[in-house]
Amino acid sequence: MHTMMSLYRPLKLTAMTLPPHDNDRGEPTPSSVVVNLTGDPEANEPSVRLSFSLEEATELADRLTQLVTEAQAGKFSQEGQELLAYHDKKAAARYAKINAEKEQA
């Protein structure tokens, strides 16, 4: 299943480490890192809990560090630029529709 949702800043970020434990089904689960992203409840924004193995968390931390370093140097990923272009195109279409409806009214 693929779900896309957006949480807008400011949001609350918390993280914790879990020791090895049994999951809800009673299966042994290794140590992990859990990240909670909490949206604004007044804006009906969702909250998300992400669980990573220690290896996944290390990979994510390395990648985030790399992205931050690049952004601070003014270098931005192609994927980020494409995402902004997509959103700009969608917003322009939405505003054009709104303006056309206003003109017809």
Side-chain angles (χ1 to χ4, degrees):
M1 178 169 100
H2 174 23
T3 302
M4 180 71 168
M5 66 178 76
S6 296
L7 293 173
Y8 299 100
R9 292 182 295 259
L11 56 86
K12 182 179 176 188
L13 170 75
T14 58
M16 67 186 98
T17 54
L18 298 178
H21 62 282
D22 290 343
N23 66 18
D24 294 342
R25 295 177 295 246
E27 301 164 336
T29 303
S31 298
S32 61
V33 173
V34 175
V35 177
N36 294 305
L37 304 170
T38 306
D40 181 359
E42 291 180 21
N44 280 337
E45 289 183 349
S47 296
V48 178
R49 175 172 287 158
L50 304 171
S51 178
F52 300 98
S53 69
L54 298 181
E55 294 79 16
E56 291 167 334
T58 300
E59 183 180 335
L60 177 61
D62 291 346
R63 181 66 178 133
L64 289 173
T65 299
Q66 177 187 4
L67 290 171
V68 168
T69 301
E70 290 172 358
Q72 289 171 334
K75 181 180 175 188
F76 301 95
S77 65
Q78 181 65 32
E79 298 87 354
Q81 293 175 24
E82 290 170 3
L83 180 62
L84 287 178
Y86 170 79
H87 282 287
D88 288 348
K89 182 178 177 182
K90 295 280 283 186
R94 183 172 54 246
Y95 290 123
K97 180 180 177 186
I98 290 169
N99 289 335
E101 289 172 354
K102 284 181 181 178
E103 288 177 10
Q104 290 179 352

